[in-house]
Amino acid sequence: MTSQESGRLAGKVALVTGAGSGIGQAAAMRFAAEGASVATLDIKPELASLTAMMIDKEHEGQSLALVGNVADAVEVETAVELATAEWGRLDVLYNNAGVDSSGSVADAAEDDWDRAFGVNAKGTFLVSRAAVRHMGEGGSIVNQGSVAGLVGVPNFAAYCASKGAVVALTRSMAVDLAPRGIRVNVICPGTVYTPLMEPMLRARGGGDLEAGLAKTLLKYPIGRLGTPDEIANVALFLASDEASFMTGSVITPDGGMTAQ
Ligand SMILES: NC(=O)c1ccc[n+]([C@@H]2O[C@H](COP(=O)([O-])OP(=O)(O)OC[C@H]3O[C@@H](n4cnc5c(N)ncnc54)[C@H](O)[C@@H]3O)[C@@H](O)[C@H]2O)c1
């Protein structure tokens, strides 16, 4: 155990959606390092397995790879059943899976709108609905919003709206689940360099990734983008009992982006 790892999730079972890449992968690894058994759900089988294998290498027997689309109710039910059957309980759910979309309200495609809402908003609802049947006192649900759910980001209409829905859903879930001892909070990160963000950064730079990056950094007082680990740290805190008085909170690890 390193000084960073002190068993903050010892004995707990966590399900992380979109665990195959970026923030979800960082969080799944961090949760396992802090003692949790972690089910890594991803729509891409090879990515779900990759993260599970990475966990298993360091913490044998603490991972379970699950394949499923969070926007599909049947696949979600199956995944949650498999996770709870494996370890007999569920304490932490990180609703991290999400997809990008592009376009302003004037030109966004209807399919993109449906996809953003299907995965980001409905996916959060479906996985939470299946998970809360198995969660009780001390449970923690961490939803993944975005600064795009709090402020307008140019040419991101469907994404902004879907993440705004996640923020509203979080508050509703927090109120409904508080009597059962389950806390629900939402993280709204600023831009983090992951595969999800590359197309957006490229588009912002007129096809030039470096130009898009430079333009984006102007929005960040801290002068850099975030890292997956920095978001995973926040997810870990909210997942752990250290955040026991926090529910319905909107947390913004965003380098000061929304402070301006
Ligand atoms: N990267 C950022 O700058 C940023 C900022 C704010 C919020 N977010 C949010 O954080 C979350 C993770 O983003 P990331 O940057 O790590 O992305 P990423 O693309 O690196 O990882 C997302 C993972 O989710 C999986 N996934 C996608 N659709 C899925 C579905 N329908 N069912 C199950 N799995 C699915 C992908 O296969 C991938 O492994 C997303 O919700 C995103 O909107 C990201």
Side-chain angles (χ1 to χ4, degrees):
M1 212 180 263
T2 70
S3 57
Q4 255 202 329
E5 297 157 11
S6 47
R8 290 156 76 189
L9 297 182
K12 300 205 184 217
V13 173
L15 168 61
V16 179
T17 72
S21 170
I23 297 166
Q25 183 179 73
M29 309 251 323
R30 192 74 210 282
F31 288 4
E34 292 290 344
S37 298
V38 184
T40 60
L41 175 65
D42 205 283
I43 197 167
K44 294 187 179 157
E46 70 282 9
L47 295 184
S49 298
L50 173 70
T51 302
M53 274 162 41
M54 287 163 75
I55 291 173
D56 223 41
K57 214 169 141 198
E58 305 269 321
H59 314 281
E60 208 185 323
Q62 272 178 241
S63 73
L64 174 70
L66 296 172
V67 182
N69 177 359
V70 297
D72 182 307
V74 175
E75 292 185 19
V76 164
E77 295 287 337
T78 305
V80 169
E81 289 308 317
L82 286 170
T84 50
E86 179 79 5
W87 290 302
R89 56 187 292 156
L90 185 59
D91 305 283
V92 173
L93 167 62
Y94 188 10
N95 278 311
N96 161 79
V99 288
D100 196 1
S101 76
S102 63
S104 74
V105 71
D107 55 23
E110 192 177 338
D111 281 355
D112 272 358
W113 176 275
D114 289 343
R115 190 163 157 268
F117 269 79
V119 178
N120 300 347
K122 184 177 160 189
T124 301
F125 156 63
L126 288 178
V127 184
S128 301
R129 186 178 66 173
V132 293
R133 283 189 212 118
H134 303 276
M135 294 176 84
E137 187 71 37
S140 173
I141 299 178
V142 181
N143 290 335
Q144 190 73 298
S146 166
V147 290
L150 305 174
V151 299
V153 177
N155 294 311
F156 242 27
Y159 185 78
C160 287
S162 68
K163 290 298 187 178
V166 173
V167 172
L169 176 61
T170 300
R171 294 193 172 113
S172 161
M173 287 167 64
V175 170
D176 286 338
L177 296 174
R180 290 178 52 190
I182 302 170
R183 297 179 297 101
V184 191
N185 296 287
V186 61
I187 305 177
C188 290
T191 308
V192 175
Y193 200 94
T194 67
L196 184 88
M197 279 299 137
E198 241 186 72
M200 185 276 275
L201 292 170
R202 211 175 280 283
R204 192 170 282 167
D208 180 346
L209 186 63
E210 288 305 314
L213 197 56
K215 215 168 163 183
T216 303
L217 287 181
L218 295 175
K219 298 258 180 204
Y220 285 83
I222 213 164
R224 64 173 177 83
L225 301 186
T227 66
D229 282 339
E230 286 176 310
I231 311 307
N233 287 340
V234 179
L236 169 63
F237 169 66
L238 292 173
S240 78
D241 295 337
E242 291 162 27
S244 52
F245 197 50
M246 291 182 71
T247 196
S249 298
V250 181
I251 314 295
T252 55
D254 68 353
M257 194 265 201
T258 55
Q260 304 171 88

